[in-house]
Amino acid sequence: MAKPAVSREAFRGLFAFYAAKAHHDHKHDGEHRLPKLFGSTNDIPANLLQLWADRAELLGPEIVATVLGPRTQQIVDRGAPYDQASDFLRALLKDMERRTH
């Protein structure tokens, strides 16, 4: 299998970024939800990371941001039901799939 274009560390950085933003916005409950996902990035299958990289490249940064931002905000604001980073990534990929068709 080819090495993913997006490393686990890079994807993990997304959760760290949003946790820092939640801290800055004084959304403490949301800030504490994100580290659980941060810690579970080691369990993301390589094929999901590759799919993320492929779709992100196909769609471009603006569309990826319009998919990623609201999904992450759900975690911060209402505690979206993601127990693992791979669950979150699958939800993102579904949203991105809809954008490609």
Side-chain angles (χ1 to χ4, degrees):
M1 179 178 288
K3 182 179 177 183
V6 176
S7 69
R8 282 174 183 25
E9 291 77 24
F11 198 77
R12 178 181 286 195
L14 289 172
F15 297 117
F17 171 77
Y18 281 102
K21 182 176 180 336
H23 177 80
H24 179 266
D25 294 343
H26 304 287
K27 296 184 177 186
H28 302 293
D29 289 340
E31 178 186 358
H32 294 291
R33 287 183 195 106
L34 289 158
K36 181 178 183 181
L37 295 176
F38 179 93
S40 69
T41 55
N42 288 331
D43 300 327
I44 297 174
N47 64 328
L48 284 181
L49 288 171
Q50 186 63 52
L51 193 54
W52 161 261
D54 293 345
R55 287 203 183 137
E57 183 176 339
L58 176 69
L59 294 173
E62 293 84 15
I63 293 175
V64 171
T66 64
V67 172
L68 182 61
R71 283 277 179 189
T72 308
Q73 202 60 45
Q74 287 176 339
I75 297 167
V76 172
D77 289 343
R78 295 178 292 279
Y82 306 116
D83 292 329
Q84 299 288 321
S86 58
D87 296 336
F88 177 75
L89 183 51
R90 282 185 185 94
L92 285 175
L93 290 169
K94 278 185 178 183
D95 289 347
M96 293 168 86
E97 178 69 21
R98 283 184 231 137
R99 301 281 180 135
T100 60
H101 294 289

